[in-house]
Amino acid sequence: MSDSKKLSQPEWTLSRLQWDEDMKQCITSTNLIISFQEKQAFLSSSLNLSCLLFSLFFYSSFVIFCTFPTATTHTTRPAQHVSIRCCALTEPDVRPLKMSIDDQPLKTWGHLLNPIDYDTTPFIFTSKAVRFGNRWKEYQGIQNWEGLLDPLDENLRGEILRYGSFVEAAYRSFNFDSSSPAYGACRYPKSTLLDRSGLHQTGYRLTRHLRATSGIQLPSWAEMAPSWVATKSSWIGYVAVCQDKEEIARLGRRDVVIALRGTATGLEWLENIRATLSPLPNAHSKPRHEDSEPMVETGFLSLYTSGTDEVPSLQEMVREEMARVLQAYGDEPMSLTITGHSLGAALATLTAYDIKTTFKRAPMVTVMSFGGPRVGNRSFRSQLEKQGTKVLRIVNSDDLITKVPGFVLEEDAEVSKDRNVYVAGLPNWVHKRVEDTQWVYAEVGRELRLRSRSCPFLKNLNVATCHDLKTYLHLVNYS
């Protein structure tokens, strides 16, 4: 398409982004154009819509933009990715001091998997600190955040942003350079990670690095592939324990944080595609006769439970560290907050389930997830509720990743029909057949729903930026 060609109708363009220098000689940039009429026909079937959303989940790092016709000549703009630079928090009046969006070109193949720059500008927390005292359980969800979400309580807003900054630190600490021998590792040691990733004087001390391992078996020739393809195990987050006495007094308890980043490596990407449901191993409670057994997405379960001879599984690391933490601090008021974005949000939910299942003396467990996909079926949700695990899902209505994988039966959802793919008005025997496909998921926990397109500070939005953690934190800060 020439730069001066006038477009007579909207066209959706998926731009194949720039590859690494070593691949430029054999790969050329191409564009896939899907006409407006073809898009309408494709979306006419709810099954095809589910497939479209599902596909976009795994290609969310491609930049998607729409060109609309006007009376003037249009040109097709090159792919862009966005860096959102500043977010400030002031308590109790939490509002952005400055926001800007800068368009920057894509630099490396590593950015295709995670196309948003996690720049060194930290989220700034100024302290007129809130003392929670005996109300800390209320903000951790003991009453499912009743009366705190609409409108969003200012103290809860501050807590969401505070935990989101721990996830930001996980992104900033990850080595995204696929040409580096240390690709997939953590850039900083435990003693300096929080400070060097922009979180100063938090009162928390990092106690354990966490790694996730893919269970996908690669052929022998894959060892010669680029590191972003062949890396089976990579650093995914950390455990941090509040150690500062003043901060413990302010929070009303000792808080333990598990922070998990989103998808970064090729094998993690492939695990996302394994979107059918698999039974949870060693589920303690058997389902009722009319219910299915607890099941979760196959790829997420694989990343949580897989290990190698050299690297234990994420599950083993979490259990070992939690046993140590409970041994050291189990006799005092304590909370466990597991927070993550995208893939990290899904793994956070699995981690919470596993901890409550494994440890009888587990403290109050809260999940704060940002832009998380669906994780498990209705029985899995029921088990989370019986455990007392509290889940707050922060969802952007314009983020397609929160609408996949699979679909939700209408009877299982307490949200409006335009937010998910539904199968409505089906007799029981059809419901049973649908559930047997292992594609029927259920939403978990409480939802804080936001919308990026209603925020005047966010421009040039596409699939990648609607899903970006920085966008989520801006929306929480602005709402």
Side-chain angles (χ1 to χ4, degrees):
M1 179 184 295
S2 66
D3 289 343
S4 61
K5 183 176 179 180
K6 184 177 181 179
L7 302 179
S8 59
Q9 61 186 9
E11 293 183 334
W12 289 82
T13 303
L14 279 72
S15 294
R16 184 173 297 170
L17 306 177
Q18 184 180 8
W19 297 71
D20 274 345
E21 292 297 328
D22 60 346
M23 302 180 72
K24 285 182 179 178
Q25 301 300 320
C26 60
I27 302 295
T28 59
S29 177
T30 62
N31 289 326
L32 174 63
I33 310 297
I34 304 175
S35 71
F36 186 67
Q37 290 90 346
E38 291 171 335
K39 184 173 79 73
Q40 283 184 317
F42 186 72
L43 296 180
S44 62
S45 162
S46 62
L47 178 60
N48 283 339
L49 175 59
S50 179
C51 293
L52 175 64
L53 297 177
F54 176 71
S55 299
L56 286 174
F57 173 45
F58 307 116
Y59 292 93
S60 61
S61 48
F62 284 12
V63 177
I64 299 179
F65 57 90
C66 184
T67 306
F68 292 91
T70 65
T72 59
T73 300
H74 290 253
T75 58
T76 303
R77 295 168 55 189
Q80 299 174 334
H81 80 284
V82 174
S83 178
I84 305 174
R85 290 278 178 184
C86 181
C87 179
L89 169 64
T90 305
E91 297 179 9
D93 185 17
V94 185
R95 286 296 181 269
L97 299 181
K98 177 182 177 183
M99 293 186 180
S100 65
I101 298 181
D102 303 319
D103 294 336
Q104 298 180 6
L106 192 72
K107 298 176 183 177
T108 65
W109 167 250
H111 285 77
L112 179 60
L113 292 175
N114 197 27
I116 306 299
D117 271 336
Y118 286 91
D119 56 63
T120 57
T121 305
F123 286 87
I124 302 169
F125 293 86
T126 62
S127 64
K128 180 178 176 184
V130 177
R131 300 186 72 86
F132 292 100
N134 294 329
R135 296 188 63 197
W136 69 266
K137 289 187 178 180
E138 180 180 349
Y139 290 98
Q140 289 295 107
I142 191 67
Q143 298 176 350
N144 294 315
W145 297 279
E146 283 295 331
L148 299 178
L149 299 178
D150 188 16
L152 182 59
D153 180 87
E154 293 296 336
N155 294 336
L156 179 59
R157 185 198 312 273
E159 286 296 274
I160 293 172
L161 290 172
R162 187 171 71 90
Y163 287 117
S165 70
F166 283 106
V167 184
E168 268 286 298
Y171 274 117
R172 292 198 196 99
S173 302
F174 183 80
N175 189 340
F176 283 99
D177 184 4
S178 58
S179 64
S180 169
Y183 170 73
C186 181
R187 297 166 57 201
Y188 310 126
K190 290 188 297 184
S191 58
T192 61
L193 183 147
L194 294 178
D195 279 335
R196 296 176 71 177
S197 60
L199 295 185
H200 307 291
Q201 298 179 345
T202 61
Y204 288 74
R205 181 171 62 85
L206 196 145
T207 62
R208 179 74 184 251
H209 286 303
L210 299 175
R211 299 181 67 88
T213 302
S214 169
I216 296 176
Q217 299 300 316
L218 293 175
S220 57
W221 55 262
E223 296 179 0
M224 302 177 63
S227 57
W228 61 264
V229 174
T231 300
K232 285 182 65 69
S233 179
S234 59
W235 185 86
I236 198 166
Y238 59 87
V239 181
V241 179
C242 186
Q243 302 283 13
D244 183 76
K245 292 182 178 180
E246 291 185 5
E247 183 68 2
I248 292 173
R250 185 186 77 82
L251 295 174
R253 83 284 184 189
R254 185 184 298 273
D255 188 39
V256 179
V257 170
I258 298 178
L260 303 169
R261 61 160 177 82
T263 306
T265 69
L267 285 180
E268 289 172 358
W269 221 16
L270 291 177
E271 291 284 21
N272 291 337
I273 300 175
R274 302 172 66 189
T276 55
L277 291 162
S278 293
L280 277 169
N282 304 321
H284 287 297
S285 60
K286 295 183 178 180
R288 297 180 314 218
H289 177 70
E290 65 270 21
D291 289 340
S292 60
E293 60 184 323
M295 303 176 77
V296 296
E297 202 253 24
T298 301
F300 301 154
L301 184 62
S302 173
L303 284 169
Y304 187 66
T305 58
S306 298
T308 66
D309 293 338
E310 296 80 20
V311 181
S313 68
L314 176 58
Q315 181 184 54
E316 292 171 324
M317 292 181 181
V318 167
R319 288 181 176 181
E320 181 179 319
E321 183 62 14
M322 282 308 303
R324 188 195 68 80
V325 168
L326 289 174
Q327 178 67 29
Y329 310 112
D331 294 333
E332 60 185 90
M334 182 168 58
S335 64
L336 172 60
T337 309
I338 312 174
T339 183
H341 170 249
S342 192
L343 169 64
L347 293 177
T349 307
L350 280 179
T351 301
Y353 172 87
D354 185 54
I355 289 173
K356 293 292 284 187
T357 301
T358 305
F359 299 98
K360 294 181 179 179
R361 295 173 54 239
M364 182 175 181
V365 177
T366 300
V367 176
M368 287 197 179
S369 73
F370 299 85
R374 298 171 185 144
V375 179
N377 64 356
R378 179 173 51 191
S379 182
F380 174 69
R381 178 182 66 187
S382 177
Q383 292 302 311
L384 282 173
E385 293 171 350
K386 290 178 181 178
Q387 291 177 344
T389 300
K390 303 301 179 181
V391 180
L392 179 59
R393 293 182 297 111
I394 296 91
V395 174
N396 179 3
S397 294
D398 300 314
D399 182 3
L400 294 177
I401 282 73
T402 62
K403 300 174 173 66
V404 293
F407 53 89
V408 177
L409 294 180
E410 186 177 37
E411 290 79 1
D412 287 344
E414 296 179 357
V415 294
S416 61
K417 294 181 182 180
D418 62 345
R419 298 177 184 171
N420 298 279
V421 179
Y422 286 93
V423 178
L426 298 178
N428 290 336
W429 68 271
V430 176
H431 272 242
K432 184 65 171 66
R433 290 298 181 92
V434 171
E435 290 177 348
D436 287 344
T437 64
Q438 297 183 347
W439 276 86
V440 179
Y441 284 73
E443 308 289 8
V444 300
R446 289 296 303 274
E447 179 183 277
L448 172 61
R449 184 163 288 271
L450 309 167
R451 186 174 180 83
S452 55
R453 298 191 187 278
S454 63
C455 180
F457 295 99
L458 302 178
K459 308 296 182 183
N460 303 323
L461 294 169
N462 53 49
V463 169
T465 54
C466 285
H467 183 58
D468 182 44
L469 177 60
K470 280 183 168 58
T471 300
Y472 272 84
L473 297 182
H474 272 272
L475 291 176
V476 172
N477 202 14
Y478 180 78
S479 63

